[in-house]
Amino acid sequence: MSDTIFGKIASGEVSADIVYEDDDLVAFRDLHPQAPTHILVIPRKPIPTLNAVQPEDAELIGKLFLAAAKIAEQEGIAASGYRTLINCNAAAGQTVYHLHLHLLGGRPMQWPPG
């Protein structure tokens, strides 16, 4: 498992407010939410950035988005709308180098986002 905080959450070494987990993924509430609903969906497999995704990870990446849709439904934001995003590297705002998908909702989103 990764030595990042997210890797430690995925392995159970560090606690988090987990809202979903399966054999491949863990989803938990962000400690510094940017919307009323802000959940991070991470693979258990330690992948540092989107640039490091390999062809054999295609199914896993698909599972991130399927889980986000399921969680959005569970959180009551699927019908009104939500945003998913993945930051890649420092200039994009990535601060933890363990691939993670942000699920944001519960308020109108602005465009452009940043």
Side-chain angles (χ1 to χ4, degrees):
M1 194 54 61
S2 171
D3 61 353
T4 68
I5 188 69
F6 291 173
K8 290 176 182 176
I9 290 170
S11 70
E13 289 178 63
V14 172
S15 65
D17 186 359
I18 295 174
V19 298
Y20 176 85
E21 64 182 314
D22 63 25
D23 290 342
D24 299 312
L25 308 173
V26 178
F28 51 93
R29 296 193 190 282
D30 194 295
L31 286 177
H32 305 288
Q34 301 300 305
T37 299
H38 188 170
I39 294 169
L40 303 174
V41 186
I42 66 168
R44 290 185 187 275
K45 177 182 179 179
I47 302 170
T49 73
L50 194 56
N51 291 339
V53 172
Q54 298 298 307
E56 59 269 19
D57 298 321
E59 184 178 351
L60 180 61
I61 299 307
K63 287 179 179 183
L64 284 173
F65 287 94
L66 291 170
K70 184 178 195 173
I71 296 163
E73 184 69 35
Q74 153 187 316
E75 293 288 315
I77 60 171
S80 60
Y82 58 94
R83 177 172 288 162
T84 59
L85 67 99
I86 296 173
N87 297 320
C88 184
N89 286 325
Q94 185 176 7
T95 58
V96 178
Y97 287 84
H98 184 119
L99 184 71
H100 53 286
L101 180 146
H102 295 260
L103 169 64
L104 300 133
R107 68 166 170 80
M109 299 288 142
Q110 302 299 311
W111 195 262

